[in-house]
Amino acid sequence: MNHPIATSGPIEPVTESIAPADADGSLTLQAALRRTGELEAHIAHDPARFRILTGDRPTGPLHLGHYFGTLANRVRLQHNGVELFVLIADYQVLTDRDIADRLTEHVEGLIADYLAVGIDPGTATVFTHSAVPALNQLLLPFLSLVSVSELQRNPTVKEEITASRQSSVSGLMFTYPVHQAADILFCKANLVPVGKDQLPHQEITRTIARRFNDRYAPSEPVFPVPDALLSQVPNLLGLDGQKMSKSRGNAIALSATADQTAQLIKRARTDAHRHITYEPDTRPDVSNLVLLAALCQDRDPHRVAEDIGTGGAAALKHVVTETVNEFLRPIRTRRTEYATDRSYLRQVLATGNDKANTIAEQTLAQVRTVMSTSY
């Protein structure tokens, strides 16, 4: 079952960027949408031109929202030949909590989830923040390139601060977009898959790359200005009608058993109308279940709703339960095999950490040279 694991060889830096759509280099939603179509065409033609950085915080098991929102897209891009770096952001667990609880368990669980859905350690690089010191050292010069007011204006940071419901905000949370820039730029990723709500973070990364190059290496840029690849993320809510979240317990984990899945769907919210339709604006709870079944069946949700017809909530939940369990069956089987082989999970991570360290040290050496801090 184990895949071959990529080993570190000569590492060629990726420095090429595709010119931004807007003349001033800004990353508006309209520009990002236009660029995404162009980028997909470039990927189809020359996937080796791209290096992607993506990742997750190890705060619990990944769920179907993660799968349809980002994991499936990562696997697609990897299969298309794009070089994939997957960050397990263990330091960022501390942005909105006092301690990183059950961290080892969650890190190993993420790796098992990644492998189960099809991320191939033979080509992808899976690594952790804490194991790559040179990456984190980039945070210092990068912080000098942005102002406090720029960080304060970042809408994503403001939303995260509000959602955390903390009486005070840590410096790590406040500087999260700059740390994310270090994540992306340490390996010179030139493409970052994001949802539209993540564009402000991506814009800070692009700003830092441009300012660093302009200030320290105008004739021979060190960093690419990475493009955002907007993902077609479905508007899949949690089973309680709220935003799908690990902490709310309203999501179906990839590692959930068939019985656990059935119990979660049984408690899902619906409405009193027996005729099942897909109308997200007027029937959000019913439509959310229809969409979940449609995603697992790879069908149009209107057709799924038509098939259920007047069966009501009971028929809808039966269809969703059967569909989700059938969809997850092979993923669960693979995940169980991987999760029982902790030594292999650790081997995947150790190999990825080694490769990430090699690249980060090369990048930091370049940064020191152009900043005249190489003594």
Side-chain angles (χ1 to χ4, degrees):
M1 185 69 187
N2 293 351
H3 293 291
I5 301 174
T7 55
S8 296
I11 298 171
E12 296 296 328
V14 176
T15 56
E16 181 181 12
S17 295
I18 296 177
D22 285 2
D24 63 355
S26 63
L27 195 68
T28 63
L29 176 58
Q30 292 75 20
L33 286 169
R34 291 196 302 269
R35 290 297 299 142
T36 292
E38 297 170 4
L39 288 164
E40 289 288 0
H42 285 297
I43 290 169
H45 176 69
D46 187 11
R49 184 180 183 181
F50 296 95
R51 176 179 284 175
I52 282 178
L53 186 286
T54 184
D56 305 277
R57 295 198 306 169
T59 55
L62 299 181
H63 50 67
L64 280 173
H66 293 117
Y67 181 84
F68 291 114
T70 181
L71 295 174
N73 195 39
R74 295 177 195 176
V75 174
R76 175 187 72 89
L77 291 165
Q78 179 183 250
H79 285 169
N80 287 349
V82 173
E83 186 178 15
L84 182 66
F85 280 68
V86 184
L87 166 65
I88 298 177
D90 52 348
Y91 276 163
Q92 289 300 340
V93 172
L94 299 172
T95 55
D96 58 356
R97 58 200 70 200
D98 295 328
I99 60 171
D101 189 37
R102 297 164 59 194
L103 193 55
T104 299
E105 173 190 338
H106 291 326
V107 168
E108 292 180 356
L110 278 189
I111 300 169
D113 285 337
Y114 292 154
L115 302 182
V117 301
I119 289 176
D120 182 2
T123 57
T125 302
V126 180
F127 67 101
T128 55
H129 260 154
S130 58
V132 190
L135 180 163
N136 296 292
Q137 193 167 339
L138 291 174
L139 182 61
L140 297 175
F142 286 180
L143 280 170
S144 73
L145 299 169
V146 292
S147 67
V148 171
S149 61
E150 285 176 312
L151 293 176
Q152 288 174 327
R153 288 196 302 268
N154 186 284
T156 313
V157 171
K158 290 193 285 188
E159 289 170 10
E160 290 289 338
I161 290 171
T162 301
S164 72
R165 298 187 297 275
Q166 292 180 318
S167 58
S168 61
V169 176
S170 72
L172 184 60
M173 176 177 282
F174 189 66
T175 60
Y176 172 70
V178 185
H179 202 176
Q180 189 177 67
D183 299 339
I184 296 166
L185 297 176
F186 96 94
C187 65
K188 301 187 178 179
N190 56 3
L191 193 62
V192 184
V194 296
K196 62 181 180 180
D197 59 330
Q198 297 168 305
L199 284 175
H201 273 345
Q202 177 71 353
E203 182 60 25
I204 286 184
T205 299
R206 290 163 58 86
T207 296
I208 288 171
R210 286 194 298 266
R211 288 178 182 173
F212 186 93
N213 292 336
D214 291 345
R215 182 174 299 181
Y216 296 110
S219 60
E220 191 172 346
V222 172
F223 296 111
V225 179
D227 270 297
L229 184 72
L230 277 179
S231 304
Q232 298 299 313
V233 180
N235 187 26
L236 189 61
L237 300 174
L239 297 173
D240 58 358
Q242 304 300 310
K243 181 179 179 181
M244 189 174 289
S245 169
K246 302 173 190 175
S247 60
R248 288 192 176 101
N250 63 358
I252 300 170
L254 301 181
S255 55
T257 66
D259 287 343
Q260 289 169 337
T261 299
Q263 287 301 314
L264 285 166
I265 294 172
K266 184 178 180 180
R267 299 198 301 267
R269 293 174 48 171
T270 55
D271 61 32
H273 302 290
R274 286 195 59 81
H275 186 72
I276 301 302
T277 59
Y278 181 66
E279 299 174 90
D281 292 336
T282 57
R283 304 184 70 186
D285 297 321
V286 165
S287 297
N288 192 54
L289 288 175
V290 171
L291 177 60
L292 179 55
L295 289 168
C296 290
Q297 295 178 21
D298 193 21
R299 295 178 63 204
D300 182 273
H302 294 96
R303 304 287 84 79
V304 173
E306 288 175 4
D307 288 348
I308 299 170
T310 58
L316 171 61
K317 290 183 178 182
H318 175 76
V319 168
V320 175
T321 300
E322 292 297 312
T323 299
V324 169
N325 277 330
E326 183 61 28
F327 178 81
L328 286 178
R329 196 181 319 279
I331 294 175
R332 288 169 175 155
T333 299
R334 291 191 296 268
R335 192 190 187 282
T336 298
E337 293 185 28
Y338 285 122
T340 56
D341 190 352
R342 292 185 63 194
S343 62
Y344 179 67
L345 299 179
R346 291 298 187 95
Q347 184 184 358
V348 169
L349 186 58
T351 302
N353 285 341
D354 285 346
K355 182 176 178 182
N357 267 299
T358 299
I359 292 173
E361 288 164 6
Q362 291 175 351
T363 301
L364 183 59
Q366 280 187 285
V367 166
R368 285 171 171 162
T369 297
V370 299
M371 293 182 67
S372 300
T373 58
S374 182
Y375 310 119

